[in-house]
Amino acid sequence: MLLWASFVTIEVLKWTDKQIETTDNTLQESIDNTTINVDEQDLIRRCQRGDQKAMEILIVRYQDRLYNTILKICSNPEDAAELTQETFVKVIEKITTFKGKSTFYTWLFRIGMNLTLTFCKRRRRLPVQSLDGSLNVQADTAASRLSAYLTSREKLDPADLAQDREIRQILLQTLERLDEDHRAVLVLRDIEGMNYHQIAQILEVELGTVKSRISRARANLKELLETVLA
Amino acid sequence: MNEQEREQIEQLIHGFLDGELTQRQRTELKRLAQHNPSVKKQLHSLYRQKELFSALPVEKAPKDLAEEVRRKLERRMILDTEPAVRIHPLGRSYLLYRRIAAAAAMLFLPLGILAILVIQIIKPVDEMPVGSPSAVVESPDLSIRTASGPAAAGSEQTKVLSMGRLTLVTDQPIVVNELIKNGVLSNHLLSEASSQRTESSAVYRIQCRQRKMLSLLKSLEPAWQNSSKQRLAIISEDPASAEPIMIEGIRPEQLISLAEESNPARIQMIAAHMQRLNRINPEDYQIRVEKEGGRGSVLEPVKPRIAWTEENKERRTTEPNNEVQMVLVIEIRNQTAQ
């Protein structure tokens, strides 16, 4: 009887959690749908009428965030610039089809991620890519500083470490060794700071897939970092 | 700790790092971390790792990105090139769709080819199509002669009238191009319109019913504000004249007046009137009158009255004729490329 009671309690708690999560998602969706401010709606409407000035404002508004995200995924500044341009070209060409069902930001990133992941997957198949995969750790000091930071219990400022060019290089090269799908979720979550719901919308996958990908991506990254720093 | 439990704990840790846990899940994780040092260690190292990646500086986009996008758009508009990187929707549903489409194509393509071959063999020679309606004669430069005749074999009652070739010279080709596209889309003329791109221009050919043509022309009025020169060219039906009728600086209301006609001869006549009218330089008609005080003043010329707008008004068809199809070629010429 006691076992039965505890089983029922656990199931009820699980159900409650699920309900809260669903409510959270619905709430997030409604927030996302209302976060297009009036100014942006006006800009989008002007773009849809072919206003070049409005297009330029939209590009300038989002270019750094999009470029930074694409660069962290494709790891090459020229490719990132080209892909960012291509994304904006696509967005402007398709702007008349934008109905505001998601935010403009989500829509823009969806197009950008689609282009970037396709590009990265195609590039991976090219034989010119190095199969060596060894990381070019230039300075032992950088590696040991990084290692100390990851294991230390002291309160340290991560921004100080991230300013170091060599540490940055180690981090980015390690990130580059993850497969594209894992890299994408990690960049969108940890670098761009998106929530699970937005990531699911952008990558057009289920919420559960986002969660499991993030979990696996972080675990893989941790293993890779440990190998590099060993 | 079994595999399932380990996975659940990992989900809890990542959910905690991302601030996506409920209060109950947070309490559960805290309790786990207190009792299990390996969970605590994993939580700490993943927290540090996340913190570090979040602190990576934001790289700025190249300064000329907006300008490059604008250039790409213009190039693409003019050359109509394919994008360098194509979008391929990813995901299981798209893959399934592609597989179904490929299977369907493999099944129906040989059947289709076989059917065409059988039809070709059994069809009598005299029933073969004799070509497109000869009434619309296109000259090599895409100007269209004004002529009438049956539009299609199946609809012998339908007349095809040409509105000629409208040229809009602009330094904002993207804007004008978008206006034309929007006009075509909003009037549901997608299946009746075709386009062709050259290095410095975009040419649209629209063939539709008179009512739709009038509606399209009304929606295209803003294109005049974004273009510096406008011209309508119609091949003259007068055997004595080799030159086409060129209406320089044609205004939207003039074009609409032409589109309201359903008689090719009247279109020619009205176009010839418009050609003369638009050539009139107001200065040629200014009369300088010496006033008594010796100071000169300029009188505005009285605009010539045009026969078709006045005495023929009553005879003009007021309601668009549904049996009339109209053809208009619109050329958007890039001023900067000239």
Side-chain angles (χ1 to χ4, degrees), chain A residues 13-14 17 20 48-52 55-56 59-60 63-64 67-68 71-72 81-86 88-90 92-93 96 111 114-115 117-119 121-122 146 148-156 158-159 161-163 167-168 171-172 174-175 189-191 195-197 211-212 214-219 221-222 225, chain B residues 7-8 10-11 13-25 28 37 40-42 44-70 72-77 81-91 171-176 178-179 181-182 185:
Chain A
L13 283 171
K14 274 185 186 171
D17 273 357
I20 291 168
Q48 287 172 333
R49 288 198 299 264
D51 184 335
Q52 287 193 33
M55 290 172 194
E56 211 173 300
I59 292 173
V60 171
Q63 62 178 14
D64 286 343
Y67 173 77
N68 183 53
L71 178 62
K72 296 288 188 312
E82 183 67 28
L83 285 161
T84 312
Q85 284 170 22
E86 197 59 43
F88 280 116
V89 168
K90 273 268 168 274
I92 293 167
E93 281 178 345
T96 47
I111 294 173
N114 215 335
L115 281 171
L117 291 178
T118 308
F119 173 80
K121 284 175 183 173
R122 196 178 297 164
L146 187 54
Y149 172 81
L150 290 170
T151 50
S152 169
R153 299 262 165 193
E154 285 173 41
K155 202 170 168 67
L156 298 165
L161 258 83
Q163 290 304 317
I167 288 178
R168 242 179 15 238
L171 294 175
L172 293 175
T174 316
L175 188 65
R189 175 59 229 169
D190 290 352
I191 297 176
N195 60 40
Y196 290 175
H197 180 73
K211 286 181 188 174
S212 62
I214 286 180
S215 156
R216 261 179 281 142
R218 283 201 187 120
L221 191 67
K222 185 170 169 277
L225 264 176
Chain B
E7 263 181 34
Q8 277 178 352
E10 275 182 7
Q11 292 278 348
I13 292 173
H14 295 291
F16 175 77
L17 293 176
D18 296 329
E20 303 262 355
L21 291 189
T22 60
Q23 183 59 45
R24 199 183 68 80
Q25 287 172 318
E28 194 181 336
K40 196 173 183 178
K41 192 181 165 196
Q42 196 184 2
H44 174 77
S45 61
L46 284 172
Y47 177 77
R48 280 279 157 108
Q49 180 182 298
K50 182 186 183 244
E51 216 179 30
L52 202 53
F53 277 92
S54 303
L56 283 172
V58 173
E59 303 285 342
K60 298 251 178 215
K63 278 184 184 158
D64 59 346
L65 194 125
E67 182 59 26
E68 278 298 319
V69 171
R70 195 186 64 81
K72 267 194 175 186
L73 277 165
E74 282 198 0
R75 257 201 315 271
R76 201 162 292 183
M77 200 281 288
T81 53
E82 284 294 307
V85 185
R86 282 159 182 262
I87 292 183
H88 290 289
L90 302 169
D171 58 352
Q172 293 176 291
I174 296 176
V175 177
V176 180
E178 279 303 313
L179 284 167
K181 278 185 189 169
N182 288 343
L185 285 173

Side-chain angles (χ1 to χ4, degrees), chain A residues 163-179:
Chain A
Q163 290 304 317
D164 187 317
R165 203 177 64 83
E166 278 151 8
I167 288 178
R168 242 179 15 238
Q169 203 178 348
I170 296 170
L171 294 175
L172 293 175
Q173 282 181 343
T174 316
L175 188 65
E176 204 182 332
R177 293 184 70 182
L178 288 177
D179 75 55

Side-chain angles (χ1 to χ4, degrees), chain A residues 16 26 38 50 68 80 92 99 102 114 125 159 162 167 178 180:
Chain A
T16 319
T26 319
V38 179
N68 183 53
I92 293 167
K99 302 279 181 251
S102 62
N114 215 335
R125 289 191 219 113
I167 288 178
L178 288 177
E180 297 83 10

